[in-house]
Amino acid sequence: MLTKRFGIEIELTGITKDTAANTVKGIVGGRLQHTRDSYNTIKINATDGRTWKIMNDASIRKQDRWGNTDNRDYSVEFVSPILTATDIDTVQEIVRALRAAGGKTNSSCGIHIHLDGADHTVQSLKNFINIIASKNDLLYKALQIKPDRIRWCKKMDQRLIDEIQKKKPKTMQEIKDIWYNERNAGYHSHYDQTRYHFLNLHSYFEGNHTVELRGFNSTLHAGKVKAYILLALALNKQALIQKKASSKKSQEENEKFAMRVYLNRIGFIGPEYKNYRDHLIKHLDGSAAWRYGIDDPRYKKNKKKEEQQ
């Protein structure tokens, strides 16, 4: 599950960009480089040769230690370089350090995870679209996506699903045309509106050739951040290795059980993944251990039998 490269962006406030940059430098070493670009980027050129970044993000509701503020320096986006599974511990260490330095998140902040698109094909992209579409409701409830952020990570467009089923694209250009809803997909700006979905393929077609997942509320809880990374990598793997995926939504009477089964299916197996499974099913209804739910007579009968043994 953890063989592909990824990158992560974490939005936060509560501290200034300078404080955040020095905090990251304290973990990865190296030197700071202040740029004069439109994002007022501070680069952390680490000792291993990679570059981490702290940038402005206009969508963040800025807060200092006393409350809301207009100071742009409190709009902080942490951007990683290209990472692998061995770097997840470092990301967690940085997250803990940012929180200890006074960093905080609010309902305007999100986490975006970019997945290496090098191995994706037309079929795997169709799979990814259908996987997210089929799990839309379950994922949005499990991840508790804040209303403030829905405009930045919309659910899968039914128009897109219908067009793919109707036209059955065989080439990258054909699926790109469907994504942009036009016959000939030409140049599209960085902030093209199609990017603001849970699954963003604009970054694949016109960006850095990455598949982006945007459906995560920001957090400085290191365990949750790792759970999100693992989920993104697992979804990506499923899209790559599955021959075909359906967009049909299943009607789940027991959300927790359905999510646990699904997580096991895509690689969250064993005690080492228990904490991360718990993070991802915590807000769902039902019982993770019993398919029919705790209010079902079959569950109560089985529970009573277990207690008598």
Side-chain angles (χ1 to χ4, degrees):
M1 182 165 72
L2 301 175
T3 59
K4 296 300 178 184
R5 300 185 300 170
F6 71 95
I8 188 167
E9 303 165 358
I10 302 176
E11 297 170 351
L12 64 140
T13 186
I15 54 177
T16 64
K17 294 203 327 298
D18 283 329
T19 298
N22 278 291
T23 299
V24 175
K25 178 177 176 290
I27 304 297
V28 302
R31 61 184 182 85
L32 300 183
Q33 177 187 353
H34 289 73
T35 70
R36 297 182 180 275
D37 63 14
S38 58
Y39 299 102
N40 290 325
T41 303
I42 304 175
K43 296 181 178 180
I44 303 97
N45 298 308
T47 53
D48 63 4
R50 295 184 296 183
T51 299
W52 306 71
K53 297 177 182 178
I54 297 294
M55 310 167 68
N56 280 131
D57 188 312
S59 68
I60 296 171
R61 186 173 75 252
K62 301 174 287 296
Q63 294 178 280
D64 57 21
R65 61 186 297 183
W66 299 281
N68 294 336
T69 177
D70 293 328
N71 188 338
R72 189 184 182 195
D73 284 342
Y74 285 86
S75 169
V76 180
E77 182 175 21
F78 161 72
V79 181
S80 79
I82 296 172
L83 305 173
T84 64
T86 58
D87 297 305
I88 296 178
D89 288 345
T90 301
V91 172
Q92 290 186 284
E93 190 176 357
I94 290 171
V95 166
R96 294 186 187 101
L98 289 170
R99 183 176 62 189
K104 63 176 71 173
T105 63
N106 56 44
S107 60
S108 72
C109 301
I111 288 177
H112 307 150
I113 299 173
H114 288 263
L115 302 156
D116 185 5
D119 294 333
H120 275 288
T121 64
V122 173
Q123 185 59 52
S124 67
L125 292 182
K126 289 193 292 185
N127 286 347
F128 221 146
I129 289 168
N130 287 334
I131 289 166
I132 299 301
S134 67
K135 301 298 180 186
N136 255 345
D137 297 338
L138 199 61
L139 286 171
Y140 273 68
K141 186 169 182 179
L143 296 171
Q144 294 285 283
I145 298 175
K146 300 286 195 336
D148 292 12
R149 296 193 54 251
I150 291 295
R151 59 179 292 200
W152 308 114
C153 54
K154 302 170 189 173
K155 290 187 176 183
M156 189 57 64
D157 185 357
Q158 188 60 44
R159 189 274 316 167
L160 178 69
I161 302 299
D162 294 341
E163 286 286 291
I164 287 176
Q165 291 177 346
K166 177 182 177 182
K167 296 182 178 179
K168 298 178 172 53
K170 299 292 192 300
T171 68
M172 280 296 179
Q173 186 60 52
E174 288 173 341
I175 196 169
K176 181 178 179 181
D177 289 346
I178 294 171
W179 176 264
Y180 291 109
N181 195 22
E182 61 189 46
R183 186 175 296 277
N184 294 304
Y187 170 78
H188 298 271
S189 71
H190 177 71
Y191 293 106
D192 188 275
Q193 289 299 304
T194 62
R195 75 198 296 260
Y196 299 120
H197 288 81
F198 189 111
L199 173 67
N200 169 26
L201 294 185
H202 176 60
S203 64
Y204 179 86
F205 293 127
E206 297 285 350
N208 296 318
H209 208 58
T210 62
V211 175
E212 182 186 23
L213 294 179
R214 302 173 57 89
F216 306 103
N217 295 327
S218 192
T219 179
L220 295 179
H221 185 298
K224 290 182 181 179
V225 170
K226 183 171 181 177
Y228 298 160
I229 294 171
L230 293 176
L231 178 62
L233 290 170
L235 290 169
N236 190 54
K237 181 179 179 181
Q238 184 190 9
L240 285 166
I241 68 174
Q242 200 160 300
K243 288 185 177 180
K244 190 176 182 181
S246 171
S247 64
K248 184 179 179 181
K249 294 182 180 180
S250 55
Q251 300 298 318
E252 306 295 353
E253 296 180 4
N254 185 344
E255 297 168 339
K256 279 189 175 179
F257 185 85
M259 182 59 117
R260 184 179 70 81
V261 170
Y262 178 65
L263 291 174
N264 285 336
R265 177 188 166 196
I266 62 176
F268 283 71
I269 302 171
E272 66 268 35
Y273 290 104
K274 182 182 184 304
N275 288 340
Y276 311 116
R277 290 195 301 268
D278 289 346
H279 286 310
L280 295 171
I281 68 174
K282 179 180 179 180
H283 298 289
L284 298 174
D285 295 327
S287 166
W290 182 254
R291 179 178 182 179
Y292 299 103
I294 59 177
D295 293 326
D296 191 279
R298 287 165 290 187
Y299 172 82
K300 294 178 179 178
K301 181 178 179 180
N302 187 70
K303 189 70 173 176
K304 183 177 180 180
K305 183 178 179 181
E306 288 178 353
E307 291 172 350
Q308 291 173 344
Q309 290 177 345

